[in-house]
DNA sequence: GTCTATAGCCGGATAGAC
DNA sequence: GTCTATCCGGCTATAGAC
């Protein structure tokens, strides 16, 4: 009897863990599918039924795991924003000793590389920026403002050293983000117009160089003509 | 009898003209409302019933005038693209004599001013660029490719004179468009982050200067440090 | 946790009266 | 040219069986 009871209890525990594991898998699959759906169609255009279909689950499971469409959207923004931050953590681990202009340069380079790898992230964010909404206010206060403040501070420091273009740092960061991301966000159009994919390694490396060259200025130790293809300190450039 | 007949005929003509006029008005109102709707939500997200409501007409009138949703979309793209081209015609009428770099500069400046005045136009175009579709192919072949070819040719000429940043002209034009338009397309977010409207005259003039300064280079007649706020030839700058 | 069933609304498109 | 009425399908969300 006791052995039976024990066996049953063990089975229960195993089953529960299996169920918990499956629940987590389902949650993750819904989240991934929702990311694509929201990025593609925006909050209002997105369909939770499409999300469920893409994730391969029944559609009531979406509301079970995330309460409603807005809860799902917030969960997507939270996790993808976390990934955005994590990308910089991963690629700037050993950077604490370098000077601030070098930090800024690496941040901007990694921003380009993240944008190339995650065009959907920028679509997700852009859809909300067009008109005012509670979602936008939440997005700005929770995820956007801090990023701009950090970048603006670094830009101001670089400007004081004459190493970055002049202008309002927030304004300039919008220009940078626009210049960097549009070519990845409109990749299908770019493919038709330019006949090449913007996601190839060669193109992304070129894009990093071109975007940084637009905004960074070499230290003005000696007078020289304003050139773009100026010599730059050695960096990891695989091509 | 003949006078009655004549009177009736005249009434008919007058009524017909009135009807034709009303029909044209309705068409225009639908077109304007559809422009906003497609720009805001993209083709799939847009609702022809919303369009009709915004235009203040009954919804079957949309299909009466434009056959279906896609016909409406094409009509919107055609007319707004015409307005885009017209804007340059209007602002470059007396420009046939100037050198090509000056032409390019004015084209880019007017591109900025058009983007500031018509953020919806760029949303309309951007929605289609994300993924392949028949609409995208039509858009590129009918409206986009020619613009890029014209700009690329001017950019190449300017580059040969050392007056424009180095790089693939098509690539650079995507950077320029991205840098210029994003701040207007995300105006609600910009308002929250920067605490100012990107549509004010002061900001737009600043934006023109900053964007052009990023891409144009002064003639390298004398060696001088790479500065952004370089002196420029006098231009119509009202502020 | 998962699923079926369903309520209640909005979508595009069309038929047919006037 | 205009409008009413209607078809059919997709949408979010929920109730309730298992």
């Amino acid at each position: 009897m006791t052995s039976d009871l024990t066996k049953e209890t063990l089975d229960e525990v195993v089953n529960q863990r299996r169920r918990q594991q499956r629940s987590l898998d389902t949650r993750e699959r819904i989240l991934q599918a929702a990311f694509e759906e929201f990025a593609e169609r925006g909050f209002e255009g997105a369909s939770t039924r499409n999300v469920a279909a893409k994730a391969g689950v029944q559609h009531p499971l979406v509301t079970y795991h995330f309460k409603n469409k807005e809860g799902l959207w917030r969960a997507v923004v939270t996790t993808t924003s976390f990934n955005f931050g994590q990308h910089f953590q991963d690629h700037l681990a050993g950077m604490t000793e370098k000077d601030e202009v070098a930090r800024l340069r690496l941040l901007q380079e990694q921003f380009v590389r993240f944008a190339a790898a995650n065009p959907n992230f920028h679509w997700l964010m852009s859809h909300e920026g067009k008109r005012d909404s509670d979602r936008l206010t939440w997005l700005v206060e929770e995820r956007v403002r801090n990023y701009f403040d950090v970048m603006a501070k670094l830009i101001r420091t670089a400007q004081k050293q004459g190493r970055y273009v002049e202008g309002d740092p927030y304004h300039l960061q919008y220009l940078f983000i626009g210049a960097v991301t549009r070519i990845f966000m409109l990749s299908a159009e770019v493919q038709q117009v330019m006949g090449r994919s913007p996601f190839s390694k060669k193109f992304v490396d070129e894009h990093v160089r071109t975007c940084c060259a637009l905004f960074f200025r070499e230290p003005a130790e000696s007078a020289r003509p304003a050139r773009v293809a100026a010599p730059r300190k050695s960096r990891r450039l695989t091509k």
Side-chain angles (χ1 to χ4, degrees), chain A:
Chain A
M1 282 302 192
T2 48
S3 72
D4 274 6
L5 245 171
T6 305
K7 187 182 180 303
E8 275 170 20
T9 310
L10 275 174
D11 279 358
E12 262 176 36
V13 168
V14 167
N15 280 336
Q16 193 177 348
R17 280 187 187 157
R18 270 188 195 140
R19 264 185 279 124
Q20 283 170 351
Q21 187 52 48
R22 182 150 69 125
S23 178
L24 285 175
D25 287 352
T26 299
R27 214 188 122 91
E28 283 308 306
R29 293 229 309 285
I30 293 173
L31 220 42
Q32 181 58 37
F35 179 30
E36 293 170 21
E37 179 76 1
F38 283 127
E40 192 132 330
R41 303 176 190 265
F43 180 82
E44 292 183 354
S47 143
T48 59
R49 284 175 119 100
N50 257 353
V51 169
K54 278 186 201 174
V57 303
Q58 299 292 325
H59 76 262
L61 282 178
V62 173
T63 50
Y64 172 78
H65 282 284
F66 298 95
K67 176 168 171 154
N68 58 22
K69 196 178 175 181
E70 176 139 350
L72 179 57
W73 179 83
R74 282 168 123 97
V76 167
V77 170
T78 300
T79 57
T80 55
S81 295
F82 177 80
N83 290 342
F84 177 73
Q86 198 61 37
H87 178 88
F88 292 99
Q89 298 280 344
D90 294 347
H91 291 86
L92 297 171
M95 273 299 292
T96 48
E97 308 303 330
K98 292 238 191 182
D99 76 300
E100 283 187 302
V101 178
R103 275 189 74 81
L104 177 59
R105 184 163 215 135
L106 269 178
L107 281 169
Q108 300 291 50
E109 171 177 347
Q110 288 306 323
F111 181 88
V112 179
R113 299 196 181 278
F114 185 85
N118 305 274
N120 276 348
F121 176 72
H122 295 284
W123 272 112
L124 180 70
M125 296 303 186
S126 301
H127 282 304
E128 296 304 315
K130 186 174 194 292
R131 60 180 189 282
D132 250 313
S133 70
D134 291 344
R135 285 192 306 279
L136 175 60
T137 304
W138 178 83
L139 191 60
V140 168
E141 295 309 325
E142 298 291 320
R143 305 285 155 189
V144 178
R145 190 181 299 288
N146 180 63
Y147 172 74
F148 270 87
D149 288 345
V150 169
M151 297 306 292
K153 203 175 168 196
L154 284 169
I155 288 172
R156 231 183 288 272
T157 304
Q159 285 174 328
K160 279 181 190 149
Q161 302 177 33
R163 304 278 300 278
Y164 207 79
V165 292
E166 297 292 323
D168 177 80
Y170 291 86
H171 185 176
L172 288 175
Q173 189 60 8
Y174 268 108
L175 298 200
F176 185 83
I177 293 173
V180 168
T181 59
R182 186 173 178 94
I183 209 159
F184 299 122
M185 291 170 73
L186 302 193
S187 58
E189 184 196 298
V190 169
Q191 178 70 53
Q192 289 206 21
V193 170
M194 297 184 63
R196 56 194 289 207
S197 163
F199 298 123
S200 72
K201 174 143 191 50
K202 190 182 168 197
F203 189 93
V204 173
D205 288 340
E206 203 177 305
H207 195 52
V208 168
R209 283 193 296 273
T210 309
C211 290
C212 286
L214 281 179
F215 289 84
F216 284 91
R217 295 284 174 253
E218 290 308 306
E221 352 184 51
S222 63
R224 51 175 190 75
R227 280 279 166 217
V228 175
R232 284 153 68 231
K233 67 180 195 307
S234 71
R235 300 229 320 284
R236 171 171 54 91
L237 292 175
T238 45
K239 179 69 181 61

